[in-house]
Amino acid sequence: MSEILGYKCPNCGANIPFDAVSQNLKCGHCGTEYNIETLEEYNQNILEKEDVYQWKEHKDQMETLGQVEYTCPSCGGSVISDGVTSATSCPYCGSSIIVKEQVDGSLRPDLVIPFALDKKQAIAKMEEELSRKFLLPKDFKSKRYIETIQGVYLPYWLFDCNSSCSARFRTTRTRTWNDGRYRYVQTDYYLVYRDGTMAFEKVPVDASKKIETELLEAVEPFDYSAAVDFNAAYLSGFFADVRQEESKDCIARANKRIHESMLEALTSTVFGYQSCITESSNIHFEGGDVHYALLPVYLLSKTYRDKVYTFAINGQSGKVVGEMPVDIKKAILMGTGIFLVTFIVAAVISFFLLGGRL
Amino acid sequence: MKKCLSLILFLIMAFAMTVSAGPNLMVDEAGLFHDVEKNRMEERCEELSNRYDMDVVIVTKNDFYDGDTMIEAADYYDYGGYQKEGVIFWINMANREVVIVTSGERVKNSFDQRAIDDVLDEISPMLSNGEYGLAALSFLNSVDLVMRGGSFQNPDVLNEALFSGFLIATVVTAAVVIYHVKALRTKGRQRDASSYVKPHSFNLLRQGDVFLYRRVSKTEIENSSNRSGGSFTGSSGVSHGGGKRSF
């Protein structure tokens, strides 16, 4: 009497009934043949566990020093200062109307990275970057505008964890040859599995709602070796954004970035194949630490054609990021010039290459 | 054996021609042309032959030739009693091939390989469409143009060059403008957290590569060459220039 066990075909997913007596392991649906060791190992490495991301809860402390809060009635953004530094324009939208208000205290960050660039250096970095943008409207390159740049400590949540990850890949190795009449392509299919661990330190996720995440992630990375415990003295001469998002609102973004990095590290250990597709992956960590920090960024904003354009400069590295508008007239002039020159040169070369004669 | 028979046939024809008034410049054995077309072509062949002191010959055949049709055409010309300088336009309907063969240094220098290829490229589509008369007249016009010292220019070359220029200019312009527009946008989300990985913290705990199954596919290799040409020597030992196309 036959003993029947159940396997799924790795190629098409159909059930393969295994007959222990006849030793038959051929998929009735796609015709692929397997040996029992292969399917046993395949089954052992199916990942069906749920991802586990577990973070500790962050405990806030209140800073009781007297501070001044500036609020922009135009965009609703607000920054705080030590009371000595005064805001003349909104760093988020560039509006010159700003309302000053005394506040008793605010949530104290765990860490701060002090500004490494002063305002002059930041302006020089900005001028250098903008001078390379040929299609940028002239107004954006004016010194008067660039000098309105403001140093702002932006609120970030920082995430630490030791994670473990398992991943399963479907890979192929291909060989081709011909016998003069036919071309042959032989493709071998493999299941590749990898398990590993990795530690992450202070993965930042911005806690500001006033500035786009795209801008604040583009300005990364920050060097945490310069990070120190928060002291209100670091605010002197700069502003600080008020945190608008809690850590629980930001963990999804941190989880996604950590998962991607883990998967990338495991994928880098798979080589010798022509193709590699991630079939499934699973991540697990517990007791991840969360910190609240202020990180140094210079902001410069301008409204152009009813849209606010904001630039950010990393206050440590000087990296400049942002979205800048296109000067349509410059773009048309540039396009027309390039088209005419290229057209003439390419047509003449093509004429002779195609065998034309004068 | 078949080649020998053809050779004997040519010799007989050559003898017959020398006995008569002179070799025919227009031989339509395949019956591709109307009488009016034939007369017009014959007149044109004679006119060009006299003007350029050469023989301009048009021949159509309907017998399958088990060899190189360029040799077939060259032998026909060499043993046909024609002048040393000349050109023959040869259509073999059984082989579905068209051939141009040039003879003599002066004609070979004027009607060079590029000119032969240009003419064949222009008239091959006409033959595929059954426009035999139009193809032969185009050949005669090309002979006139080339021997007059001008150059045969496939009219498509200029259009193709302009089109290529337009295409290249459009792609280059788009690439440069897009590059500069993209340079204005330097913001974007980070894909991962690789900048924040603790140094040397990655440990690979377990790994395995399991062979699952093998697939082998085979496809037939196509041989797609329907054109050839260049300098060659006929059975008579005379050197010729020429080219041919299938249609």
Side-chain angles (χ1 to χ4, degrees), chain A residues 119-137:
Chain A
K119 192 171 175 177
K120 270 188 183 172
Q121 289 170 312
I123 289 170
K125 286 270 181 195
M126 195 72 191
E127 282 177 333
E128 185 192 335
E129 179 71 17
L130 297 187
S131 67
R132 290 200 290 259
K133 311 293 180 191
F134 295 112
L135 299 182
L136 187 68

PDB file of all heavy atoms in Angstrom, chain A residues 119-137:
ATOM      1  N   LYS A 119      26.578  80.737   9.743  1.00  0.00           N
ATOM      2  CA  LYS A 119      25.680  81.221   8.697  1.00  0.00           C
ATOM      3  C   LYS A 119      26.450  81.599   7.423  1.00  0.00           C
ATOM      4  O   LYS A 119      25.985  81.329   6.307  1.00  0.00           O
ATOM      5  CB  LYS A 119      24.894  82.428   9.230  1.00  0.00           C
ATOM      6  CG  LYS A 119      23.732  82.818   8.334  1.00  0.00           C
ATOM      7  CD  LYS A 119      22.844  83.853   8.977  1.00  0.00           C
ATOM      8  CE  LYS A 119      21.764  84.308   8.020  1.00  0.00           C
ATOM      9  NZ  LYS A 119      20.838  85.251   8.614  1.00  0.00           N
ATOM     10  N   LYS A 120      27.640  82.195   7.590  1.00  0.00           N
ATOM     11  CA  LYS A 120      28.444  82.598   6.421  1.00  0.00           C
ATOM     12  C   LYS A 120      28.816  81.379   5.576  1.00  0.00           C
ATOM     13  O   LYS A 120      28.750  81.402   4.350  1.00  0.00           O
ATOM     14  CB  LYS A 120      29.729  83.297   6.887  1.00  0.00           C
ATOM     15  CG  LYS A 120      29.594  84.797   7.046  1.00  0.00           C
ATOM     16  CD  LYS A 120      30.965  85.402   7.312  1.00  0.00           C
ATOM     17  CE  LYS A 120      30.810  86.901   7.557  1.00  0.00           C
ATOM     18  NZ  LYS A 120      32.066  87.491   8.012  1.00  0.00           N
ATOM     19  N   GLN A 121      29.234  80.313   6.247  1.00  0.00           N
ATOM     20  CA  GLN A 121      29.619  79.092   5.528  1.00  0.00           C
ATOM     21  C   GLN A 121      28.416  78.474   4.821  1.00  0.00           C
ATOM     22  O   GLN A 121      28.522  77.984   3.700  1.00  0.00           O
ATOM     23  CB  GLN A 121      30.229  78.076   6.502  1.00  0.00           C
ATOM     24  CG  GLN A 121      31.606  78.489   7.014  1.00  0.00           C
ATOM     25  CD  GLN A 121      32.067  77.585   8.143  1.00  0.00           C
ATOM     26  OE1 GLN A 121      31.321  77.322   9.094  1.00  0.00           O
ATOM     27  NE2 GLN A 121      33.304  77.121   8.060  1.00  0.00           N
ATOM     28  N   ALA A 122      27.264  78.550   5.509  1.00  0.00           N
ATOM     29  CA  ALA A 122      26.044  77.995   4.910  1.00  0.00           C
ATOM     30  C   ALA A 122      25.656  78.787   3.660  1.00  0.00           C
ATOM     31  O   ALA A 122      25.268  78.204   2.634  1.00  0.00           O
ATOM     32  CB  ALA A 122      24.910  78.029   5.929  1.00  0.00           C
ATOM     33  N   ILE A 123      25.784  80.114   3.730  1.00  0.00           N
ATOM     34  CA  ILE A 123      25.470  80.957   2.567  1.00  0.00           C
ATOM     35  C   ILE A 123      26.420  80.630   1.410  1.00  0.00           C
ATOM     36  O   ILE A 123      25.995  80.498   0.254  1.00  0.00           O
ATOM     37  CB  ILE A 123      25.553  82.463   2.956  1.00  0.00           C
ATOM     38  CG1 ILE A 123      24.372  82.822   3.856  1.00  0.00           C
ATOM     39  CG2 ILE A 123      25.565  83.350   1.717  1.00  0.00           C
ATOM     40  CD1 ILE A 123      24.476  84.203   4.502  1.00  0.00           C
ATOM     41  N   ALA A 124      27.695  80.453   1.711  1.00  0.00           N
ATOM     42  CA  ALA A 124      28.677  80.130   0.660  1.00  0.00           C
ATOM     43  C   ALA A 124      28.344  78.796  -0.002  1.00  0.00           C
ATOM     44  O   ALA A 124      28.410  78.653  -1.227  1.00  0.00           O
ATOM     45  CB  ALA A 124      30.075  80.093   1.260  1.00  0.00           C
ATOM     46  N   LYS A 125      27.950  77.802   0.812  1.00  0.00           N
ATOM     47  CA  LYS A 125      27.573  76.480   0.274  1.00  0.00           C
ATOM     48  C   LYS A 125      26.373  76.611  -0.651  1.00  0.00           C
ATOM     49  O   LYS A 125      26.294  75.992  -1.713  1.00  0.00           O
ATOM     50  CB  LYS A 125      27.214  75.524   1.416  1.00  0.00           C
ATOM     51  CG  LYS A 125      28.408  75.033   2.199  1.00  0.00           C
ATOM     52  CD  LYS A 125      28.961  73.773   1.600  1.00  0.00           C
ATOM     53  CE  LYS A 125      30.143  73.257   2.404  1.00  0.00           C
ATOM     54  NZ  LYS A 125      30.908  72.252   1.677  1.00  0.00           N
ATOM     55  N   MET A 126      25.418  77.429  -0.198  1.00  0.00           N
ATOM     56  CA  MET A 126      24.180  77.614  -0.967  1.00  0.00           C
ATOM     57  C   MET A 126      24.481  78.292  -2.305  1.00  0.00           C
ATOM     58  O   MET A 126      23.966  77.873  -3.350  1.00  0.00           O
ATOM     59  CB  MET A 126      23.226  78.485  -0.134  1.00  0.00           C
ATOM     60  CG  MET A 126      21.817  78.471  -0.617  1.00  0.00           C
ATOM     61  SD  MET A 126      21.077  76.875  -0.234  1.00  0.00           S
ATOM     62  CE  MET A 126      19.590  76.997  -1.179  1.00  0.00           C
ATOM     63  N   GLU A 127      25.318  79.342  -2.254  1.00  0.00           N
ATOM     64  CA  GLU A 127      25.662  80.073  -3.486  1.00  0.00           C
ATOM     65  C   GLU A 127      26.374  79.145  -4.478  1.00  0.00           C
ATOM     66  O   GLU A 127      26.084  79.159  -5.675  1.00  0.00           O
ATOM     67  CB  GLU A 127      26.570  81.260  -3.156  1.00  0.00           C
ATOM     68  CG  GLU A 127      25.805  82.440  -2.585  1.00  0.00           C
ATOM     69  CD  GLU A 127      26.693  83.606  -2.194  1.00  0.00           C
ATOM     70  OE1 GLU A 127      27.877  83.379  -1.869  1.00  0.00           O
ATOM     71  OE2 GLU A 127      26.199  84.743  -2.201  1.00  0.00           O
ATOM     72  N   GLU A 128      27.280  78.342  -3.952  1.00  0.00           N
ATOM     73  CA  GLU A 128      28.040  77.411  -4.802  1.00  0.00           C
ATOM     74  C   GLU A 128      27.088  76.410  -5.479  1.00  0.00           C
ATOM     75  O   GLU A 128      27.182  76.149  -6.671  1.00  0.00           O
ATOM     76  CB  GLU A 128      29.040  76.666  -3.916  1.00  0.00           C
ATOM     77  CG  GLU A 128      29.984  75.763  -4.687  1.00  0.00           C
ATOM     78  CD  GLU A 128      30.757  74.831  -3.754  1.00  0.00           C
ATOM     79  OE1 GLU A 128      30.933  75.185  -2.565  1.00  0.00           O
ATOM     80  OE2 GLU A 128      31.147  73.759  -4.215  1.00  0.00           O
ATOM     81  N   GLU A 129      26.130  75.897  -4.703  1.00  0.00           N
ATOM     82  CA  GLU A 129      25.191  74.903  -5.236  1.00  0.00           C
ATOM     83  C   GLU A 129      24.279  75.537  -6.292  1.00  0.00           C
ATOM     84  O   GLU A 129      24.075  74.981  -7.372  1.00  0.00           O
ATOM     85  CB  GLU A 129      24.355  74.331  -4.081  1.00  0.00           C
ATOM     86  CG  GLU A 129      23.317  73.312  -4.484  1.00  0.00           C
ATOM     87  CD  GLU A 129      23.926  71.982  -4.914  1.00  0.00           C
ATOM     88  OE1 GLU A 129      25.106  71.736  -4.610  1.00  0.00           O
ATOM     89  OE2 GLU A 129      23.206  71.207  -5.584  1.00  0.00           O
ATOM     90  N   LEU A 130      23.729  76.713  -5.987  1.00  0.00           N
ATOM     91  CA  LEU A 130      22.774  77.337  -6.906  1.00  0.00           C
ATOM     92  C   LEU A 130      23.440  77.839  -8.188  1.00  0.00           C
ATOM     93  O   LEU A 130      22.799  77.910  -9.233  1.00  0.00           O
ATOM     94  CB  LEU A 130      22.041  78.493  -6.213  1.00  0.00           C
ATOM     95  CG  LEU A 130      21.183  78.098  -5.000  1.00  0.00           C
ATOM     96  CD1 LEU A 130      20.378  79.285  -4.510  1.00  0.00           C
ATOM     97  CD2 LEU A 130      20.232  76.946  -5.336  1.00  0.00           C
ATOM     98  N   SER A 131      24.737  78.157  -8.117  1.00  0.00           N
ATOM     99  CA  SER A 131      25.425  78.662  -9.317  1.00  0.00           C
ATOM    100  C   SER A 131      25.517  77.572 -10.393  1.00  0.00           C
ATOM    101  O   SER A 131      25.696  77.866 -11.567  1.00  0.00           O
ATOM    102  CB  SER A 131      26.825  79.157  -8.949  1.00  0.00           C
ATOM    103  OG  SER A 131      27.619  78.063  -8.541  1.00  0.00           O
ATOM    104  N   ARG A 132      25.370  76.308  -9.977  1.00  0.00           N
ATOM    105  CA  ARG A 132      25.469  75.198 -10.944  1.00  0.00           C
ATOM    106  C   ARG A 132      24.126  74.872 -11.594  1.00  0.00           C
ATOM    107  O   ARG A 132      24.051  73.991 -12.442  1.00  0.00           O
ATOM    108  CB  ARG A 132      26.004  73.948 -10.243  1.00  0.00           C
ATOM    109  CG  ARG A 132      27.458  74.062  -9.847  1.00  0.00           C
ATOM    110  CD  ARG A 132      28.038  72.673  -9.616  1.00  0.00           C
ATOM    111  NE  ARG A 132      27.493  72.068  -8.419  1.00  0.00           N
ATOM    112  CZ  ARG A 132      28.127  72.020  -7.256  1.00  0.00           C
ATOM    113  NH1 ARG A 132      29.326  72.553  -7.149  1.00  0.00           N
ATOM    114  NH2 ARG A 132      27.583  71.446  -6.215  1.00  0.00           N
ATOM    115  N   LYS A 133      23.062  75.555 -11.161  1.00  0.00           N
ATOM    116  CA  LYS A 133      21.719  75.241 -11.682  1.00  0.00           C
ATOM    117  C   LYS A 133      21.373  76.208 -12.810  1.00  0.00           C
ATOM    118  O   LYS A 133      20.937  77.332 -12.564  1.00  0.00           O
ATOM    119  CB  LYS A 133      20.659  75.337 -10.566  1.00  0.00           C
ATOM    120  CG  LYS A 133      21.039  74.594  -9.291  1.00  0.00           C
ATOM    121  CD  LYS A 133      21.071  73.103  -9.487  1.00  0.00           C
ATOM    122  CE  LYS A 133      21.445  72.383  -8.211  1.00  0.00           C
ATOM    123  NZ  LYS A 133      21.735  70.977  -8.392  1.00  0.00           N
ATOM    124  N   PHE A 134      21.569  75.760 -14.061  1.00  0.00           N
ATOM    125  CA  PHE A 134      21.388  76.645 -15.213  1.00  0.00           C
ATOM    126  C   PHE A 134      19.940  77.069 -15.414  1.00  0.00           C
ATOM    127  O   PHE A 134      19.661  78.136 -15.908  1.00  0.00           O
ATOM    128  CB  PHE A 134      21.887  75.947 -16.486  1.00  0.00           C
ATOM    129  CG  PHE A 134      23.358  75.693 -16.463  1.00  0.00           C
ATOM    130  CD1 PHE A 134      23.860  74.403 -16.378  1.00  0.00           C
ATOM    131  CD2 PHE A 134      24.263  76.748 -16.517  1.00  0.00           C
ATOM    132  CE1 PHE A 134      25.227  74.160 -16.342  1.00  0.00           C
ATOM    133  CE2 PHE A 134      25.634  76.519 -16.488  1.00  0.00           C
ATOM    134  CZ  PHE A 134      26.108  75.223 -16.392  1.00  0.00           C
ATOM    135  N   LEU A 135      19.005  76.186 -15.075  1.00  0.00           N
ATOM    136  CA  LEU A 135      17.600  76.487 -15.366  1.00  0.00           C
ATOM    137  C   LEU A 135      16.866  77.120 -14.181  1.00  0.00           C
ATOM    138  O   LEU A 135      15.654  77.261 -14.211  1.00  0.00           O
ATOM    139  CB  LEU A 135      16.881  75.201 -15.796  1.00  0.00           C
ATOM    140  CG  LEU A 135      17.431  74.534 -17.066  1.00  0.00           C
ATOM    141  CD1 LEU A 135      16.614  73.302 -17.435  1.00  0.00           C
ATOM    142  CD2 LEU A 135      17.450  75.498 -18.244  1.00  0.00           C
ATOM    143  N   LEU A 136      17.599  77.507 -13.155  1.00  0.00           N
ATOM    144  CA  LEU A 136      16.969  78.113 -11.971  1.00  0.00           C
ATOM    145  C   LEU A 136      16.662  79.585 -12.249  1.00  0.00           C
ATOM    146  O   LEU A 136      17.506  80.302 -12.789  1.00  0.00           O
ATOM    147  CB  LEU A 136      17.935  77.984 -10.787  1.00  0.00           C
ATOM    148  CG  LEU A 136      17.412  78.401  -9.418  1.00  0.00           C
ATOM    149  CD1 LEU A 136      16.324  77.445  -8.952  1.00  0.00           C
ATOM    150  CD2 LEU A 136      18.537  78.413  -8.386  1.00  0.00           C
ATOM    151  N   PRO A 137      15.453  80.065 -11.897  1.00  0.00           N
ATOM    152  CA  PRO A 137      15.139  81.485 -12.099  1.00  0.00           C
ATOM    153  C   PRO A 137      16.152  82.382 -11.374  1.00  0.00           C
ATOM    154  O   PRO A 137      16.656  82.029 -10.299  1.00  0.00           O
ATOM    155  CB  PRO A 137      13.743  81.624 -11.491  1.00  0.00           C
ATOM    156  CG  PRO A 137      13.175  80.266 -11.524  1.00  0.00           C
ATOM    157  CD  PRO A 137      14.328  79.322 -11.344  1.00  0.00           C
TER     158      PRO A 137
END
